Each structure stands twice: as C-alpha cells, then as structure tokens.
Amino acid sequence: MTHGSLPLINRFRLAVATAATAAAFASTPYASAAPTGAQPVLNQVKTEAAFDFAAGDAPENITVNPDSSMTISMLGSSAAMPPKLVRISPSGHRTTLAVGHKGDTITGNARGNDGTVFYNVMSKDASRTGVWEIPVSGSPQRLAALPADASPNGLAIGPNGRTLYVADSLKSTVWAVPTSDGRAAVWLTDPALAPDKSASVPLGANGLRYHNGSVWVSNISHNTLLRIPVTQSGAPGRIHTVTSHLTGVDDFSFLDERSDVVFAAENERNEIVMVYPDGTTKTVLTASSGLASPTSTAVRGRRLYITNAGLNEPHDAKLQSATINRTALLNHS
C-alpha cells in the first residue's frame, strides 16, 4: 500500500514509524560519542524521565519554560491512543495540560511571553486540525484552523509574541498565525519545504524554530536545515540552505540565543548531530548513549534535553539530558 492511498493521519503515523525503523525520574548514565582521545561535546548523559509508550506517551516535541519545567507533546497515535500535552516540573511532577481525541496527533508546542501554551493538532476531523492555545487561566481552545489536508508539525513564536510560525510537512508551506485573531495565512510556500514522495519518509518541512531574526526549518526527506530571514515587513527573505547533510532530521535547537550552533535530532539514525554556522556537522550522541528515536532537543543553560519517542522495540520512550562541554564544542574539527 502506498502512502498516498492512506488517510492523512495514517500516512503521518507510517512516516514516523518508518523514520524510526531506518514516567519516573532516573539517573542512568550513558557513554558519550567522541573520537578516541577527544573530549565529548556532550557528557553526563542521563535519563530524566521514563514514559509509558503503550499508553501513547511517545514524546514528539519539547519546550523548556523559564521556571525549568518542560512542556512535552506526546504522540498518542504511535500506540493508537489519544495524544497528550504534559508539563513536567523540575521536581518531576507531571501535569496533563490537554488531551486530544483518539486519532489526533499533537506535534509542535511553544510558549508565549505571557505564559500561554500553543500546540499543533493534526486530525482526520477538520474541526480540530490547526493551532491550539491554553491561556494561563483558561482551557484548551483552537486558535487557528488549518486546511483539512494540512500536516502541522514544528511550531515557534516570534520574539514580539504576536506571530506563530507553523511548518506544514505535506503542503510545502510555513503558515503564519497571529496570536491576536488566529487567522492563518500562508507565509511561505517553496519547493525547499516540499516532501520528497520517493523518500523513505515522505514528509517535508518538519522542525521549526525562530532564531536571530530568521525562521529555521528542517526538511526530513531532503536532509536539509534551512534559514529564512524575516524582513522588516514580516515577509520571508531568500532561503539559505545551512546544510544538506542531515539524515532523517526531526526537530532541533540552538546553543543559546546568540549562537547559530544547532543540536539536531536525527530520528532515522538515532543520533544527535551538531551543525556549525558554516554547515559542517558533527555527531555528538548515538544509540550507545541511550538514544531511542530522538525527536527534538532543547537547551537550557549548560544542559541539552532530548525527547526520545521509543518507536522501536523495546519502546524506550524517555526524556534525556546531557551537559554541554563548550570547550569541546569550539573544537571545530
């Protein structure tokens, strides 16, 4: 059966599972990936939280909040369960913020300056597909509708807190959604965002971050990381390909607010890869570090956080962290 003959939500599930094939706190240490005699960029790797894959708790995306709590999207669909959006406090307490319908998929999430939580929902139900919000003192509600055949994936908010950017994995598009009225509009459609239908994972634009005046997007089937400047008018500038040497790239994060050094999750290879501003790459964690279908990364201070969906047996879904060795990171060789 071809991907094209499947319903949208099932195509997404199959693509995620194909990528993977090519909840109590713990402190299990793992080895770090580094050439013999070299200092690892990431060390002190440990499991911060373990999740129940059979309950649908396969983490897909992460936001680290100012209070060091974490908002994590749980796929649900990987185990035919409803998806969830959960918050994990620094002490390990878990709070369920939202529960989707069975058959939905919750993907990217982001935090507004006022604490509002935003998240993407993909669903067979056209009344549910789009961007949702949870106000600080409110309940989940849909902010912006997207077309029934849309596949909203990565999500980020601009620095002024007024615009959300949504990567659409099937429509070669980045959507712009005003937080004030939720009227979604096409911000950019381009072949660089398109899926490669002949690829093992026929999805295009995947992870998305707003950083240093640009929207950055990964394209999973083209192995690329793209930088798209936001002009003074808010329109997209010329697309820059930062690198085309990422395999099965999912979501990513930056070393800090000023640096363009990227930590990218390569779901297909079970690796975390560092991308330097000149486009060169370095593998900094592998399966030997306990990675299990890594989907996203987030940085807070000197720690890198990694969500692992655990899509392959033994379905080791979890949240990991590692200490960033900036001295080793600067050794660009």
Side-chain angles (χ1 to χ4, degrees):
M1 183 181 292
T2 64
H3 292 285
S5 64
L6 293 170
L8 173 62
I9 190 72
N10 289 338
R11 273 186 282 153
F12 183 84
R13 290 181 196 156
L14 181 57
V16 170
T18 304
T21 300
F25 268 65
S27 57
T28 307
Y30 293 96
S32 298
T36 303
Q39 282 189 318
V41 171
L42 300 174
N43 54 41
Q44 298 178 321
V45 183
K46 65 179 182 178
T47 298
E48 294 283 358
F51 303 117
D52 185 355
F53 182 88
D57 292 348
E60 202 279 335
N61 196 253
I62 182 172
T63 296
V64 181
N65 301 308
D67 64 356
S68 295
S69 67
M70 300 174 202
T71 305
I72 298 178
S73 306
M74 300 292 190
L75 283 171
S77 57
S78 57
M81 299 293 287
K84 288 183 274 187
L85 191 71
V86 303
R87 177 176 291 142
I88 302 179
S89 72
S91 66
H93 178 72
R94 302 182 193 188
T95 302
T96 299
L97 303 177
V99 179
H101 290 187
K102 191 172 181 178
D104 289 355
T105 301
I106 293 178
T107 52
N109 70 75
R111 181 187 184 277
N113 298 333
D114 64 352
T116 299
V117 175
F118 301 96
Y119 61 101
N120 288 334
V121 172
M122 184 174 59
S123 177
K124 292 180 290 186
D125 182 347
S127 70
R128 294 184 56 77
T129 295
V131 182
W132 288 63
E133 65 176 348
I134 308 175
V136 175
S137 299
S139 302
Q141 58 190 21
R142 190 165 71 161
L143 170 67
L146 290 176
D149 61 345
S151 179
N153 202 330
L155 176 69
I157 190 166
N160 60 17
R162 293 197 293 266
T163 304
L164 291 158
Y165 299 91
V166 182
D168 192 318
S169 293
L170 292 179
K171 297 180 76 66
S172 313
T173 293
V174 172
W175 300 90
V177 176
T179 57
S180 57
D181 60 24
R183 296 180 182 178
V186 171
W187 186 69
L188 175 65
T189 297
D190 193 274
L193 304 170
D196 179 352
K197 295 181 180 180
S198 67
S200 60
V201 182
L203 299 175
N206 192 327
L208 185 149
R209 294 282 186 262
Y210 190 105
H211 176 75
N212 276 350
S214 295
V215 171
W216 298 61
V217 182
S218 60
N219 185 316
I220 188 169
S221 62
H222 286 282
N223 307 316
T224 51
L225 178 65
L226 310 171
R227 180 172 60 84
I228 310 162
V230 180
T231 65
Q232 286 188 341
S233 67
R238 182 174 65 88
I239 298 175
H240 300 266
T241 300
V242 179
T243 184
S244 56
H245 301 293
L246 296 169
T247 301
V249 60
D250 203 321
D251 221 318
F252 56 93
S253 59
F254 294 87
L255 176 63
D256 57 41
E257 292 181 356
R258 297 174 301 280
S259 173
D260 286 350
V261 171
V262 167
F263 291 100
E266 285 192 337
N267 189 293
E268 193 170 332
R269 284 187 173 177
N270 256 2
E271 293 180 345
I272 301 299
V273 174
M274 192 167 61
V275 182
Y276 287 98
D278 64 1
T280 58
T281 62
K282 177 190 289 188
T283 299
V284 290
L285 284 183
T286 66
S288 66
S289 306
L291 296 180
S293 312
T295 53
S296 186
T297 67
V299 176
R300 183 161 180 79
R302 295 178 59 244
R303 298 295 287 175
L304 176 73
Y305 295 91
I306 305 156
T307 51
N308 292 270
L311 298 174
N312 288 335
E313 292 285 355
H315 300 307
D316 188 17
K318 60 191 172 186
L319 171 69
Q320 290 178 293
S321 72
T323 299
I324 301 169
N325 183 336
R326 287 179 176 255
T327 300
L329 183 149
L330 294 173
N331 181 15
H332 190 175
S333 61

